[in-house]
Amino acid sequence: MKRVAILISGGGSNMLALVRDMTQAHYAQPVLVASNDPAAGGLAKAAALGVPTASVDHRPHGKDRAAFEAALAEKIDATRPDILCLAGFMRILTPGFIRRYEGRMLNIHPSLLPKYPGLHTHALALAAGDAEAGCTVHEVTAELDAGPILGQARVPVLPGDTEDSLAARVLTMEHQLYPAVLRRFVTGDRTPVSLP
Ligand code: GRF
């Protein structure tokens, strides 16, 4: 059974969706939830579900990304994961780290890539007057938010939408998309998932 490590920075709602789906459908095993923030709310939620957790505070490492990533990789590799899922992980990773896991590292991004890589995706969609928005799961490569797309989920932008109302509608779809992509990814099938 494929072993899956999940990296988070905050509440970890996407991590929870992945852990619950793996636990219910037994297609993979969550072996670690790790965070760059020791106070990340998702760590306690993962522990409550019996998933091993770890954290490496990025702040003491300052601008030395490589040192932070070496400490993080050591904790990740100790659990021998086959797949790495970034889920609300908010640190930029260096090409060196990405090379260690390339081809088996996924990320979820709250826009319909290639539109709106980077931050503030919902504000940008609203400002552009887009009729629809959504989220993307992609393989992580050295170029930020630009790897091969493994799945997308679309939602309508509704009159009166705010950043928060749109983010909430997209987040609901993230929780459906990421598990659907992981189920397919563990079989070696790279055909993109499309929701709804
Ligand atoms: C979500 O919008 C996700 O798309 C982005 O981080 C936000 C929080 O994710 N990557 P989570 O609730 O911590 O999974």
Side-chain angles (χ1 to χ4, degrees), residues 70-156:
L72 182 62
E74 188 179 343
K75 299 209 170 175
I76 292 168
D77 294 345
T79 65
R80 294 178 289 104
D82 301 297
I83 297 168
L84 216 53
C85 289
L86 307 182
F89 187 69
M90 304 308 273
R91 302 299 296 167
I92 303 281
L93 295 166
T94 66
F97 184 92
I98 291 168
R99 260 194 301 280
R100 288 175 83 110
Y101 304 104
E102 195 151 14
R104 57 194 180 106
M105 180 157 59
L106 282 53
N107 180 48
I108 189 157
H109 178 77
S111 80
L112 294 172
L113 291 173
K115 287 182 90 167
Y116 316 133
L119 300 173
H120 313 303
T121 61
H122 306 308
L124 291 168
L126 291 171
D130 293 348
E132 64 175 12
C135 50
T136 303
V137 176
H138 62 94
E139 285 190 46
V140 177
T141 59
E143 190 184 348
L144 183 69
D145 298 334
I149 288 176
L150 294 170
Q152 291 197 307
R154 295 171 185 282
V155 301

